[in-house]
Amino acid sequence: PVRRFRSSPVVLAVLGPAVFVVGLVAAQAAQPLPDPWNQSASALSGLGATNRWIMAGTLVLVGVLTVLTALGLRPRVPEAAWCLLGAGGAFLVVAGLSPQPVGGYSLVHMVTGGLAWASLSMTAVGAVFVPDWSVANSTSCRFCRTGAWSTAVSAGTPGAPPRSVYEALMMPNTLPPCD
């Protein structure tokens, strides 16, 4: 049977980073500091930031978009991948709702921000571990597995796999087989 392509996960996946960039630039522009462009997202959403609601709202919105993307990808990707993506989005929402105080740090913000980063970073690795490799026989699978495998294994040692997706796609014999 032919499966109909649904664009909603693709639209959500593209919308998330776009919203983050716009929110980050808007939050930086709202700061009266001498150099607001060097401020982290945590500092821009912290209690000491001017118009902190811009970055806090951006983090929450991007987190929600990420969770919705994960739910839309459920039937298409391995369970580990969409669970990690959804968890990363949920952690991002919590990090956005728990701002850094002035002159200190919020343990909730630091832990959930770190967990969001780790979950989102490991999403591609979750796509690598597919129990049935026949499911993974596609160009998108090769692209995703290339990036995850290259990132997870390459540590600068001689004979290590390529460090970038481009290098790995140019040398496909370095990858585990997709079929």
Side-chain angles (χ1 to χ4, degrees):
V2 177
R3 291 173 58 177
R4 204 176 112 216
F5 176 73
R6 290 184 6 200
S7 64
S8 60
V10 174
V11 171
L12 291 170
V14 170
L15 194 57
V19 166
F20 182 78
V21 169
V22 169
L24 183 64
V25 170
Q28 289 170 333
Q31 299 305 308
L33 303 171
D35 191 15
W37 305 105
N38 287 329
Q39 297 295 313
S40 68
S42 294
L44 292 170
S45 67
L47 294 176
T50 304
N51 294 324
R52 73 172 212 83
W53 64 269
I54 298 170
M55 195 68 229
T58 298
L59 291 174
V60 170
L61 181 57
V62 170
V64 169
L65 289 170
T66 304
V67 169
L68 293 174
T69 301
L71 292 174
L73 291 175
R74 273 182 75 183
R76 294 173 183 82
V77 298
E79 184 177 7
W82 69 262
C83 284
L84 284 167
L85 184 63
F91 287 133
L92 192 58
V93 168
V94 175
L97 293 175
S98 56
Q100 297 277 50
V102 178
Y105 68 93
S106 162
L107 184 61
V108 173
H109 180 86
M110 298 295 283
V111 169
T112 56
L115 289 172
W117 177 84
S119 297
L120 294 171
S121 297
M122 294 301 291
T123 298
V125 175
V128 172
F129 299 106
V130 180
D132 178 12
W133 285 104
S134 64
V135 174
N137 191 12
S138 69
T139 304
S140 61
C141 163
R142 180 174 292 279
F143 181 78
C144 185
R145 285 183 38 237
T146 300
W149 192 69
S150 169
T151 302
V153 178
S154 179
T157 56
R163 294 177 184 254
S164 69
V165 172
Y166 174 78
E167 288 178 15
L169 289 174
M170 295 300 106
M171 303 181 321
N173 58 342
T174 61
L175 294 174
C178 261
D179 41 18

